[in-house]
Amino acid sequence: MRNVKLGRRSLLSLMGVTAVGATAAACGRSNPGVATAEAPLRRPMPRTPAATGPVLRVDTERSYYRDADVQLMFAFPNGLEATENLPIVLYLHGRDGMSPTPIPYETLSKLETEYAAGAIPPFGLLAVDGGFNSYWNDGSANGDLLSMLLEEVPAWLRSRHLGDRDGLPFAVAGISTGGFGALNYAAERTQVGLPVEAAALLAPALPVTWELMNEKGVFASEQEWHDHDPLRHTDLLGDIPVGVWVGDVDLYREGAEELAAEYPNTPVLSVLPGGHDGSVFDVVGSDMLRFLATGVSAEG
């Protein structure tokens, strides 16, 4: 886990930073926490294959912590009169990144149909490009990803008048390696006194042995993995509700069940027929979204 030093004041002050030191300038990086888009939400993405799907839009921001341009994908239910101050779920993608989609098509479809049916209140999803094989940790091959989520995403949301008044997502979700990252993000938010209302994990990649983790080529040593492994830091989550959906033959099922056994506030552990694939990814959209929707009520 990161050495947490951020409080509410320091986290939010990063959103308004207008200059960085000479070292960052020499590296050619733009200011951390400063939104750069002149016209946010301007480019539509192709609609989902489902008969009805949400509004999908993409944009790009420059990330100091990735030292790269980063793609953002937003999903909103159709028919909203406005998106100002719309609650947002930060959705962390899996190993393959943003392509072909960072969020399962079925989940995107259900965001539309569940809202249209009145089953969930209005909220949106935001996926941020963390690169290939991302476990969303600082010091990764793709940059300081957890810092990007904590310190830059709020500014990007606030510039679009999304999320709460500080631009914070009300909840976090993640698929596969994104589930690993979602737990650490939730723990960090709790530690700075800004806890999420819910965390939803779809087939979270939570290896329980170094042999399995080492195969992924992410952490240089077993100790480094231990430092970042959310299963070893569940005490940092506080008491936020965590929901887990996993296949009965998923290679990460043991880690998902260990999480539910170790963390007392896991109101959902759903073990479905299938593996670490679409047999599970494409059938849990309604359940996950309804679980996340409870956080909208709690926030309000």
Side-chain angles (χ1 to χ4, degrees):
M1 298 290 289
R2 290 181 355 139
N3 180 17
V4 179
K5 297 180 180 179
L6 292 175
R8 181 180 179 84
R9 185 181 301 276
S10 60
L11 175 61
L12 299 180
S13 70
L14 287 167
M15 301 177 188
V17 171
T18 57
V20 292
T23 300
C27 293
R29 290 183 171 185
S30 57
N31 297 350
V34 176
T36 58
E38 296 295 333
L41 305 182
R42 63 185 179 276
R43 296 192 301 275
M45 287 190 73
R47 293 186 64 81
T48 61
T52 59
V55 177
L56 299 180
R57 299 184 186 276
V58 294
D59 205 355
T60 302
E61 291 282 3
R62 183 71 184 180
S63 170
Y64 169 84
Y65 288 106
R66 285 204 64 190
D67 194 18
D69 290 337
V70 172
Q71 186 183 65
L72 314 178
M73 188 189 91
F74 297 87
F76 306 102
N78 278 290
L80 298 179
E81 292 184 2
T83 61
E84 185 170 359
N85 303 129
L86 185 71
I88 294 293
V89 174
L90 177 63
Y91 196 108
L92 304 185
H93 64 66
R95 179 175 183 268
D96 292 334
M98 300 287 280
S99 180
T101 175
I103 304 171
Y105 287 122
E106 194 262 355
T107 299
L108 292 172
S109 175
K110 294 301 183 182
L111 179 65
E112 175 66 21
T113 57
E114 292 288 296
Y115 169 72
I120 60 173
F123 62 88
L125 307 176
L126 166 62
V128 181
D129 187 1
F132 177 74
N133 198 25
S134 170
Y135 282 71
W136 299 95
N137 57 292
D138 279 353
S140 77
N142 300 322
D144 292 336
L145 298 181
L146 190 54
S147 290
M148 176 182 72
L149 299 178
L150 290 167
E151 300 174 15
E152 294 182 310
V153 165
W156 298 339
L157 285 172
R158 193 172 66 167
S159 72
R160 293 161 172 80
H161 306 288
L162 293 168
D164 71 9
R165 66 178 184 175
D166 299 322
L168 292 173
F170 79 90
V172 64
I175 179 173
S176 189
T177 63
F180 185 107
L183 282 173
N184 284 335
Y185 172 85
E188 293 283 350
R189 286 276 301 267
T190 296
Q191 294 304 293
V192 299
L194 297 167
V196 296
E197 298 293 346
L201 315 177
L202 174 52
L206 297 171
V208 296
T209 67
W210 171 237
E211 289 73 21
L212 181 56
M213 185 73 253
N214 194 32
E215 291 175 2
K216 309 307 175 184
V218 176
F219 300 111
S221 68
E222 186 171 3
Q223 184 58 53
E224 185 181 353
W225 167 52
H226 287 177
D227 291 343
H228 291 88
D229 181 14
L231 288 178
R232 288 173 167 78
H233 304 285
T234 57
D235 58 308
L236 300 182
L237 289 168
D239 63 354
I240 65 168
V242 175
V244 184
W245 292 260
V246 67
D248 60 357
V249 292
D250 191 317
L251 74 165
Y252 298 117
R253 176 181 174 179
E254 185 177 353
E257 293 181 331
E258 181 177 321
L259 172 65
E262 293 292 329
Y263 182 62
N265 195 7
T266 310
V268 177
L269 172 61
S270 180
V271 180
L272 304 101
H276 198 75
D277 52 40
S279 62
V280 174
F281 302 165
D282 294 333
V283 299
V284 304
S286 291
D287 286 347
M288 283 190 68
L289 291 169
R290 292 187 182 200
F291 173 78
L292 290 164
T294 63
V296 178
S297 301
E299 185 186 41

